[in-house]
Amino acid sequence: MIKKYSIKKLLDNGKFFLKKKVVVEGWIRSVRHSIFITLNDGSSIRNLQIILPKNLEKNFKKKINIGASVRIIGIIKESIGKQQLIELKSSYINIYGTVDKEKFQKSILQPKTHSLEKIRKQAHLRFRTNFFSCILRIRHYIAISIHKYFHKNGFFYIHTPIITTSNTEGSGDMFQVTTMDLKNIPNQKNINYSKDFFKCKTYLSVSGQLEAEAASLSLGKVYTFGPVFRAENSNTSRHLSEFWMIEPEMAFYHLEENMNLAENFLKFIIQYIIDHCREDLFFLKENIKKWNPKIHNTSILEKLEFLLKKPFQRISYTEAINILQKTNKKKFINPIIWGMDLQSEHEQFLVNHYFKYPVIIFDYPSCIKAFYMRMNSDGKTVRAMDVLFPEIGEIIGGSQREERYDFLLKRIKETNLDDKLLWWYLDTRRFGTVPHSGFGLGFDRLVQFITGMKNIRDVIPFPRTPNHAEF
């Protein structure tokens, strides 16, 4: 039986397959002189050159067009051409699916450069473009590296609820979940949720952190990796309504250990991508300026390698405010006042201009942070930390959690949250509470940073944003 191989396997091990008969399947990327076609099956950015049989009928040849899907049997041989080491001399070809020529002319599958806006409008086809297949392969390897890192370091992977009754962050709009007939609700002001599916008001979760905390207080170290949802009307290049988060939670971890883990975790991912995605990174380096002309001349690979050279810079929030207040190099739109939430312009100044390296800022004012963060002895700041990256800004947000029951209850009441809904979360502090920490990493923002894409909509298969829920 003749064995089928991926194009990546054949190209990676060309000498081994010389003179062997193989089966390949994929989509035609180009046709030259009615003799040569290039084939791609998605396993690699590279294509395999195929030499067609000479005895093909004219009517059959007419169906061999760009985009058509085929099954080919042939023998691997050394290529005479300089652009490839091997090629496949075919003895049999079967066409699975032909191409609608009229629709093809209007599609992004035409072999020319299209704008990212046009490509997004045909999201169901953009998997077939070089740039998007390249990004999705990198996205895959980033996800694999995350699971590898946590498994290697003794974490347990858990699944937290997507449907929830609480807003973890205590702010921001959420998507409500209901089975009630919205056209026939008798009292809009006082809706009787006992008639709803869950007998209470429920939402799509913005975070699995609280549940992960409960798990960590038994299993020690856990992490979540799943979709979360925000109903904020944010039409920026860094925001999605549906996105993916990684949230590790660690019992017996203090803030310093939390920051160490976050930095080590990011560097592990970056090194893994450097080791496993060089082809795709090189392709992006050569083509990224088509879609992001403002990108620096430094290649994506060099940018990633630079982040591995030394420890991330660490400063307190107060130190960051002092630096921003003293600088005369830049006039900020938002004035610098202690107690304010740092804006993107402030974060980017610290990372891109002042330190010129990733920065971890810690000990933020309690008034701008969530209720679950541990209060410092000064009574004004909490044991929070954010990791800031060049170009992207905040990529990780985390903290040491408030393990003391009385302090936690006080913070819940101060932030006007319903302690009755959070009874179970408070309860975890009644049974052997311990210092513990965790953080959240925006997966899509990490993909955006690694690939160098300007817009986060271009690193996720089917982006969900305000006014857009197609496909």
Side-chain angles (χ1 to χ4, degrees), residues 46-61:
R46 295 169 293 170
N47 302 316
L48 178 64
Q49 178 165 282
I50 312 289
I51 305 171
L52 295 174
K54 293 180 179 179
N55 57 351
L56 287 178
E57 295 180 2
K58 286 186 178 180
N59 289 335
F60 189 84
K61 274 189 177 182

Side-chain angles (χ1 to χ4, degrees), residues 255 259 313-325 335-343 346-347 350 355 359-369 376 378 380-386 388:
L255 183 66
M259 291 191 288
Q313 180 68 43
R314 298 187 187 186
I315 57 171
S316 70
Y317 169 88
T318 301
E319 289 172 318
I321 290 293
N322 289 337
I323 291 170
L324 293 167
Q325 286 176 336
I336 313 300
I337 303 168
W338 195 97
M340 68 175 293
D341 200 356
L342 295 179
Q343 301 301 306
H346 308 135
E347 295 175 344
L350 291 169
F355 292 108
V359 178
I360 303 179
I361 300 178
F362 59 90
D363 285 355
Y364 282 82
S366 60
C367 59
I368 60 171
K369 288 297 181 180
N376 283 318
D378 61 12
K380 297 189 300 181
T381 61
V382 289
R383 302 295 281 160
M385 66 94 176
D386 288 339
L388 311 181

Side-chain angles (χ1 to χ4, degrees), residues 390-436:
E391 303 169 17
I392 212 76
E394 181 194 328
I395 201 163
I396 278 181
S399 70
Q400 184 173 331
R401 315 310 191 190
E402 183 56 82
E403 84 277 12
R404 299 165 295 184
Y405 177 88
D406 293 340
F407 280 79
L408 182 59
L409 180 59
K410 182 182 177 183
R411 285 286 290 150
I412 288 173
K413 290 182 176 179
E414 285 175 352
T415 50
N416 296 318
L417 294 173
D418 190 348
D419 59 310
K420 291 180 181 178
L421 285 177
L422 291 168
W423 68 269
W424 62 271
Y425 184 69
L426 282 161
D427 217 25
T428 59
R429 273 62 173 174
R430 294 177 182 270
F431 300 94
T433 186
V434 299
H436 58 289

Side-chain angles (χ1 to χ4, degrees), residues 108 114-123 291 455 458:
I108 58 172
H114 303 279
S115 70
L116 292 176
E117 288 76 13
K118 181 176 180 179
I119 292 172
R120 279 183 223 126
K121 289 177 182 177
Q122 297 182 33
W291 302 292
N455 198 312
D458 299 317

Side-chain angles (χ1 to χ4, degrees), residues 28 103 106 122 146 206 259 273 275 334 362 383 405:
I28 296 172
K103 287 194 172 183
K106 298 176 182 179
Q122 297 182 33
I146 288 166
V206 298
M259 291 191 288
I273 297 306
D275 292 342
N334 299 281
F362 59 90
R383 302 295 281 160
Y405 177 88

